[in-house]
Amino acid sequence: MTGRLILLDTASLYFRAFYGIPDSLKAPDGTPVNAVRGLLDFVATLATQYEPEAIVACWDDDWRPQWRVDLLPSYKAHRVEEETSGVDVEEETPDALSPQVPLIAEALGLLGIPVVGAAEAEADDVIGTLVHRWDGPVEVVTGDRDLFQVVDDSRGVRVLYTARGVGKHDVVDAAWVRDKYGIEPHQYVDFAVMRGDASDGLPGVAGIGDKTAAVLLGEFGDLETIAAAAADETSSIKPRPRRSLLESSDYIASAVRVVRVRDDLALAPPAALPVFSEEQAAEFTTFAQTWGLGGSADRAVAALRAVVSPRHDRAEPSQ
């Protein structure tokens, strides 16, 4: 298929919805539904603006895979809370959000939007893989800067960056990345490793911030070449960053593997959004009424129908 694909970094979006919409919005049984309603409104907004052929809700089956922790123990360490046993850890999900997460998955499924995850993989890895399973343009919807690495103008892969909100998102292409950071999208992994990222527990290389990382990548191209230059006393790298790079060699080797999203998961290519059957519409209506989703549910259905119906009509054989 060559139409547009939207890949949702689902957790990023439902956290944004939860914190952006009052939790006074509740179902008839008192369950908060602000994140559910907010996510449905995000779907409606994105479907209306981008008219996708397919949408996939990419899921964190494992939000902190052990293989990444083994490589870099500090990875997302600040996002976990120790259990009384001192062994088990879990993501800090607010109590009012936890019961909404399965409702979000159910709502998306009823709308015909598949929820896709993979064992020992984060949503980022699902996104990195599905980007390569689609022949047409791709919009990746996220508030996570690490996904700038998948931006590819030659294939029409962009990031809809939601740091300022879904309705005010930035459209991130190669020019945007160059203007913001002075690097190319394919250099973002090496850039992030050097400058560090506290939100993911990446310490970075001491003394190397955004500017120095961009200058090094501009001169040498990638971290492998930068590391070789650091080991060469005749290279142009100044003494302080040279020393830091040499002292951080083990961290760099591990962190590059941690930050780079996987593109090799065993996932099928996305399918086109289905036409709403009467049975599906009735089931979703019942679900929406049970959970008090109100206008958000109506807007999501209307937006998806507006996208799917014209395509279906064009595909219908003439009488």
Side-chain angles (χ1 to χ4, degrees):
M1 286 177 283
T2 58
R4 189 176 303 278
L5 168 66
I6 288 180
L7 298 174
L8 306 176
D9 182 2
T10 317
S12 170
L13 294 175
Y14 65 59
F15 269 96
R16 173 165 291 278
F18 176 78
Y19 286 111
I21 299 172
D23 61 9
S24 56
L25 292 174
K26 299 181 185 294
D29 70 353
T31 301
V33 291
N34 56 326
V36 186
R37 293 183 65 160
L39 190 69
L40 291 176
D41 276 327
F42 293 165
V43 168
T45 296
L46 294 164
T48 299
Q49 185 168 352
Y50 291 98
E51 300 181 344
E53 182 172 357
I55 302 176
V56 176
C58 302
W59 207 260
D60 289 312
D61 274 18
D62 190 341
W63 69 277
R64 190 175 182 246
Q66 188 60 46
W67 64 270
R68 281 193 166 107
V69 177
D70 290 342
L71 286 166
L72 189 67
S74 64
Y75 181 62
K76 294 185 178 180
H78 64 294
R79 302 190 197 181
V80 301
E81 57 185 10
E82 298 290 344
E83 296 296 312
T84 55
S85 65
V87 177
D88 296 329
V89 295
E90 62 180 22
E91 189 172 15
E92 294 182 9
T93 303
D95 291 342
L97 175 57
S98 295
Q100 299 187 63
V101 174
L103 295 180
I104 288 167
E106 186 173 357
L108 291 168
L110 290 171
L111 288 171
I113 297 173
V115 174
V116 178
E120 299 182 357
E122 300 175 54
D124 287 11
D125 301 310
V126 175
I127 289 168
T129 297
L130 293 183
V131 159
H132 295 283
R133 300 282 194 275
W134 189 260
D135 293 329
V138 182
E139 311 289 357
V140 175
V141 188
T142 184
D144 184 354
R145 293 176 298 178
D146 283 347
L147 283 165
F148 293 167
Q149 66 185 275
V150 305
V151 169
D152 185 348
D153 284 3
S154 68
R155 298 187 57 244
V157 180
R158 308 185 299 186
V159 166
L160 307 183
Y161 185 47
T162 61
R164 297 186 299 126
V166 173
K168 299 179 180 179
H169 62 262
D170 292 300
V171 178
V172 178
D173 57 10
W176 192 98
V177 175
R178 282 194 293 269
D179 183 62
K180 180 73 172 178
Y181 300 111
I183 61 171
E184 297 298 322
H186 71 269
Q187 296 174 312
Y188 191 84
V189 170
D190 292 351
F191 177 78
V193 168
M194 284 190 285
R195 68 97 183 266
D197 189 339
S199 67
D200 279 340
L202 296 176
V205 176
I208 295 183
D210 287 25
K211 184 176 179 180
T212 302
V215 168
L216 289 170
L217 287 168
E219 181 174 357
F220 297 103
D222 57 41
L223 252 175
E224 184 177 358
T225 307
I226 291 169
D232 178 2
E233 293 184 358
T234 66
S235 73
S236 61
I237 299 179
K238 295 180 180 180
R240 184 183 178 190
R242 180 194 304 278
R243 183 170 59 253
S244 293
L245 286 162
L246 292 173
E247 291 173 351
S248 301
S249 59
D250 290 343
Y251 156 75
I252 289 171
S254 296
V256 165
R257 294 171 61 191
V258 169
V259 177
R260 183 175 294 120
V261 299
R262 293 183 60 182
D263 61 5
D264 60 350
L265 299 177
L267 300 174
L273 286 164
V275 177
F276 270 80
S277 66
E278 292 303 319
E279 181 180 356
Q280 181 187 8
E283 189 174 0
F284 184 74
T285 297
T286 299
F287 174 84
Q289 290 174 344
T290 298
W291 294 103
L293 303 183
S296 298
D298 297 337
R299 287 187 287 273
V301 170
L304 292 173
R305 277 184 163 157
V307 170
V308 173
S309 295
R311 186 181 72 225
H312 177 69
D313 292 343
R314 289 194 299 270
E316 284 288 306
S318 57
Q319 300 297 321

